[in-house]
Amino acid sequence: ASEDIVELRQPGWWRKEAGRKCWQKLLNFPDKIKEIRRKGGLAAWQRNQKAHPVTLPAIIDERLCELLGAMMGDGCIYIASSSKTKHISICGNAVNDIEYLHKLQGLFKELFGRDATIRKEKGKNCSQFAVCSEKIYDFFVGLGMPEGVKKDKLAVPTWMWAAPSVQKKAFVRGLFDTDGGIYLGPSRLIHFCSVNLGFEEEICQILRELGFKPTIIFRSGTPSIYLCGKEQIRKYVDEVGFSNIN
C-alpha cells in the first residue's frame, strides 16, 4: 500500500508566510500610492482647467508689462516634476508684501480671468502667489519669461526695446517693486538688485532711455543699480511710481 506523504511544517509557519506576503506588499505600497496620487492629482488639475477657462490678453499693455516685471523680479514659472503640470508663482514677505501680492492677484484676474491662490509657506516668513495653467505658462514663455531657475537666463525681452515709454516704465516698476527699494536716509537713493549683471546692464539702458542716470555698484560681489539724489528719486516717483509701498 502506498504511504501518504505528509508535509511537516514548523509551528507558526502560516504567520511567517502571511508576514512575508504582507512585507512584499508594503515594499510596493509607496510606488502604488505615488501613482494613485499622481493620477488623481492630474485628473483634478484637468477638471480645474475645464472649470476655470483662461482668457489670454489680446494686446500687450501697461498692466501686462508691470506683471512681467514682477515675475522677472520675484516670480518664476516651472513644471512640477511629479505631475508635469505647469505653474506660475510670485513670492513675497508674508507681512510686508501681502498687500502687494493681493494687488498682483487682482491684476492677474483682470488679464487672464483666473483667480490666483495666495498662501503662506509653512515655517517660513514667505507668502506665495500661485496659479496652475498650461496656457498662461506658455503665454509667459512667449513673452520672454525664463523657465525654471532664472538666475542666468534673465534678459529684457526683445519686443520691449520697441515698446512705448509707458510700457517700459511699467516693466521697470514691476522689477523695482519686487527686487528693489528706496532709501531716504542721509544718502537718498532707489536701488535694484539682481545677481545677473547682463540683465542689470539692460535695465540701465532702459532707464537711460527714460531719462534717468543709473549707476551699477558692486557690494560684496553683487551688482546693484542705483538712482541717487533728490532729483532722480523725484523723477522716479513722478514718472514710474510704486505699486508696492512697503
Side-chain angles (χ1 to χ4, degrees), residues 1-244:
S2 61
E3 297 181 355
D4 294 332
I5 298 176
V6 179
E7 182 180 357
L8 297 178
R9 296 188 180 184
Q10 294 295 327
W13 66 268
W14 57 272
R15 291 193 184 97
K16 294 181 181 179
E17 182 69 14
R20 184 180 64 80
K21 291 181 179 180
C22 182
W23 178 245
Q24 289 176 339
K25 290 181 180 179
L26 286 174
L27 288 176
N28 296 328
F29 187 70
D31 292 334
K32 289 183 178 180
I33 287 296
K34 288 180 182 179
E35 181 67 14
I36 291 170
R37 287 178 176 171
R38 188 190 69 77
K39 289 182 178 178
L42 183 58
W45 175 78
Q46 290 171 340
R47 289 194 299 270
N48 184 61
Q49 298 300 299
K50 292 179 180 179
H52 301 88
V54 170
T55 302
L56 298 178
I59 60 171
I60 294 176
D61 61 9
E62 184 179 353
R63 298 173 302 167
L64 186 56
C65 290
E66 182 170 353
L67 182 59
L68 179 62
M71 288 290 298
M72 288 193 170
D74 276 345
C76 69
I77 59 175
Y78 65 94
I79 300 175
S81 58
S82 57
S83 63
K84 305 302 179 184
T85 52
K86 296 183 176 181
H87 299 259
I88 303 96
S89 72
I90 300 176
C91 291
N93 185 281
V95 178
N96 297 333
D97 292 328
I98 192 65
E99 184 178 345
Y100 178 60
L101 289 176
H102 280 289
K103 287 182 181 180
L104 293 178
Q105 184 184 42
L107 186 59
F108 204 90
K109 177 72 172 178
E110 290 178 18
L111 290 168
F112 299 102
R114 283 290 299 271
D115 289 314
T117 301
I118 296 177
R119 64 176 182 272
K120 185 179 183 300
E121 292 190 19
K122 188 176 180 179
K124 298 180 180 179
N125 188 28
C126 175
S127 288
Q128 186 182 57
F129 158 108
V131 174
C132 177
S133 170
E134 183 173 2
K135 287 184 178 180
I136 299 175
Y137 179 102
D138 293 342
F139 183 80
F140 272 106
V141 171
L143 287 177
M145 181 71 190
E147 299 178 78
V149 179
K150 62 181 190 293
K151 176 181 176 181
D152 298 320
K153 303 175 188 176
L154 281 171
V156 172
T158 304
W159 56 266
M160 184 66 70
W161 298 109
S165 294
V166 66
Q167 293 183 7
K168 290 179 179 177
K169 290 175 182 177
F171 178 65
V172 168
R173 182 165 58 251
L175 286 168
F176 277 64
D177 279 345
T178 49
D179 272 350
I182 183 170
Y183 178 67
L184 298 177
S187 301
R188 300 187 176 187
L189 55 86
I190 293 174
H191 68 91
F192 170 79
C193 181
S194 171
V195 295
N196 189 321
L197 178 59
F199 183 55
E200 286 196 358
E201 289 173 342
E202 291 181 335
I203 299 303
C204 281
Q205 186 174 340
I206 287 180
L207 288 169
R208 293 188 189 99
E209 290 180 6
L210 296 174
F212 291 96
K213 299 176 181 178
T215 302
I216 294 179
I217 299 175
F218 284 82
R219 293 186 181 277
S220 301
T222 302
S224 294
I225 297 174
Y226 288 88
L227 299 174
C228 303
K230 293 181 180 179
E231 291 184 5
Q232 290 286 288
I233 292 177
R234 187 179 296 112
K235 179 178 174 65
Y236 185 93
V237 172
D238 292 343
E239 298 181 15
V240 179
F242 295 95
S243 292
N244 186 3

